[in-house]
Amino acid sequence: MRSGGTPRVDFVVGGVQKAGTTALASFLGRHPGVVLPQGKEAHVFDAPDFDDGWDVESVNRLYDAHFSGRAPVDALHGDATPIYLLHPRFVERIGRYNPAMRWIILLRDPVDRALSQYHMERSRGHEGLPLWWALLAESWRLAGHRDDFEPGSPLRHHSYRLRGDYAAQLDVLHRVFPPEQILTLRNHELARQPAQALARVHAFLGLPVDTGDMDYGRVFEGDYSRWPKRGWQRRLLRWWWRHDLARQARHGLEWE
C-alpha cells in the first residue's frame, strides 16, 4: 500500500466473531464522538478484490459508502468487522493503512464461540453437517482455502476451531501493532458489567466516558441449547483442542 493521505478510520473492533462485537458496537455507537459504519461491519480489508497496492486515499474512498451524514470534526471513525483478526493479511493491510490504528478485541471461550458459530451457520443454511462431523471436517474443508476470501469460502463459514486459536492471531497482531494500541476484553466483562467494560473502551479511545443510563439489554442471543459447563461434550472438545488452549496462556488467557 502506498503512503499519502490521512487515514479516515481511527479504530477497529477487530475480533472475534460470536463474542459480543455486535452488542459492543451498538453500545459504542451511541457515544456522540463515535461514528461507525451503517450495518456495523464494513468488510474493507477482507474484501476479495482488495488491492494491496492501494494508497490511503483509495481505502478512504471505500469507506465513504459506509459513513453517512455529518459528524463532529473531531469524531472518531471506527469499523467493527470481527474477521479482521483472523488472517495475518488483514492485520498487515490495516497496519499499512494506519499504523496508529487502535484495536479493540473481544474474546470468548473458544468452545462456546465455536458452538455459537456452528448454530449461526446452520440457521443461515451454510452448514449441513451435524455438529461433531462439522468439527471433524474443518481441516479437510479449509485445505487450500486458508487464503480464500470469497463470500462462500470455507474460511468464512467453517472455521470453528481456527477462529478460536487466539494465540496465533494475537501473535500476529502484537507483531504489527504496539501493545498500547490494543485493548483486549473478555466477553463476560461486557455481559456482566457492560457499563464498566464500555468505560474502559471509551478511555482507551481517548473519549470522555459517557455511559449514562444506557439500556444494555442482552449481550448474547441464540436459540440453541448450551453445553453444561462440566458436561462430557465440553471436556472432550477441550481435550481435543488442548494444545491450542495451552498456547493462549502466553497472552494471559485461561478458560474454564
Side-chain angles (χ1 to χ4, degrees):
M1 182 181 296
R2 302 189 303 276
S3 60
T6 301
R8 186 173 187 183
V9 177
D10 306 287
F11 71 92
V12 291
V13 179
V16 297
Q17 185 190 56
K18 308 309 294 179
T21 58
T22 297
L24 177 58
S26 175
F27 304 156
L28 188 55
R30 299 177 203 179
H31 194 290
V34 170
V35 181
L36 289 170
Q38 298 179 39
K40 175 203 168 197
E41 302 180 19
H43 285 287
V44 167
F45 296 100
D46 63 311
D49 59 350
F50 189 95
D51 187 337
D52 287 302
W54 282 336
D55 60 13
V56 170
E57 288 302 330
S58 296
V59 176
N60 284 344
R61 284 193 290 273
L62 293 178
Y63 274 108
D64 286 344
H66 296 282
F67 298 116
S68 64
R70 299 182 63 182
V73 174
D74 58 349
L76 294 180
H77 286 70
D79 178 359
T81 303
I83 200 174
Y84 287 163
L85 183 65
L86 179 61
H87 199 286
R89 193 174 302 172
F90 307 153
V91 176
E92 291 161 359
R93 287 170 175 174
I94 292 171
R96 291 193 296 270
Y97 167 70
N98 184 1
M101 187 74 82
R102 280 166 284 185
W103 284 75
I104 302 165
I105 303 300
L106 192 59
L107 301 179
R108 184 178 184 181
D109 182 299
V111 173
D112 294 333
R113 197 222 62 79
L115 186 63
S116 181
Q117 182 191 352
Y118 170 81
H119 285 284
M120 179 187 71
E121 299 296 352
R122 289 277 292 187
S123 69
R124 293 179 176 179
H126 300 307
E127 179 58 80
L129 294 178
L131 174 61
W132 285 98
W133 281 110
L135 296 176
L136 286 165
E138 178 173 340
S139 296
W140 173 78
R141 283 169 148 178
L142 295 184
H145 293 281
R146 293 297 183 106
D147 298 318
D148 179 1
F149 307 143
E150 292 297 326
S153 166
L155 181 69
R156 294 188 184 273
H157 298 296
H158 305 307
S159 47
Y160 307 115
R161 176 177 181 174
L162 182 66
R163 287 180 187 259
D165 187 5
Y166 304 144
Q169 297 166 40
L170 292 172
D171 285 347
V172 172
L173 185 62
H174 281 274
R175 188 170 67 241
V176 178
F177 291 90
E180 61 269 19
Q181 289 174 218
I182 303 168
L183 175 65
T184 302
L185 298 171
R186 309 224 191 163
N187 71 295
H188 65 76
E189 297 178 67
L190 187 65
R192 298 172 188 170
Q193 297 181 311
Q196 292 88 330
L198 186 58
R200 285 186 63 192
V201 174
H202 288 166
F204 172 69
L205 295 176
L207 295 165
V209 175
D210 182 10
T211 57
D213 297 324
M214 189 182 300
D215 178 12
Y216 293 97
R218 286 180 56 82
V219 171
F220 298 108
E221 299 292 346
D223 186 16
Y224 61 91
S225 60
R226 271 63 169 177
W227 285 346
K229 279 289 185 183
R230 305 299 178 185
W232 69 267
Q233 301 102 319
R234 184 180 295 276
R235 294 201 308 270
L236 177 57
L237 200 53
R238 288 194 180 286
W239 177 84
W240 184 9
W241 294 354
R242 63 193 182 280
H243 298 303
D244 293 354
L245 296 172
R247 286 195 297 270
Q248 295 182 17
R250 66 173 175 260
H251 291 285
L253 298 174
E254 294 183 1
W255 309 97
E256 295 180 2

